[in-house]
Amino acid sequence: MVSVFAWFIFNAQPMIKQASFALAAGILIDAFVIRMTLIPATMALAQERAWWIPVWLDRLLPDLDVEGDKLAQRIPPPRHTTTPPQREEQQAGTTG
């Protein structure tokens, strides 16, 4: 996005130059200064409190299982009824 907005700085119209420079600078500051330094530093200082949620809100929010981990815990893994294939050395009768 920064490069797209920065490309419009070369436009002849001064209003577009100003707007594109402001947007490019704003995105650059947001991406690098805020999201890559301030937010991780704040979360590191807050430690477990960064993930705290009020009980009443936790009850209202849906319990999402995006990757299916909870479903995998409820359903037992399938059992294989066939015996695993033996190694070629054991089938040939050689001991080594």
Side-chain angles (χ1 to χ4, degrees):
M1 291 300 294
V2 174
S3 62
V4 170
F5 288 131
W7 179 253
F8 286 104
I9 293 174
F10 300 111
N11 196 324
Q13 296 178 353
M15 193 67 167
I16 292 178
K17 282 185 179 185
Q18 293 172 3
S20 62
F21 176 76
L23 288 170
I27 291 173
L28 193 66
I29 289 171
D30 176 53
F32 287 105
V33 175
I34 295 174
R35 294 182 193 230
M36 292 180 80
T37 57
L38 292 179
I39 291 178
T42 304
M43 290 183 73
L45 290 174
Q47 295 175 353
E48 290 297 319
R49 292 175 299 211
W51 302 104
W52 177 80
I53 186 169
V55 176
W56 63 271
L57 183 59
D58 192 25
R59 283 191 300 250
L60 291 175
L61 294 175
D63 189 18
L64 297 178
D65 187 20
V66 177
E67 295 181 356
D69 289 335
K70 292 180 184 175
L71 181 62
Q73 290 174 358
R74 280 194 260 158
I75 299 174
R79 294 185 181 176
H80 297 288
T81 57
T82 61
T83 59
Q86 296 178 353
R87 294 175 45 190
E88 292 177 16
E89 297 168 355
Q90 291 175 347
Q91 289 177 353
T94 59
T95 57

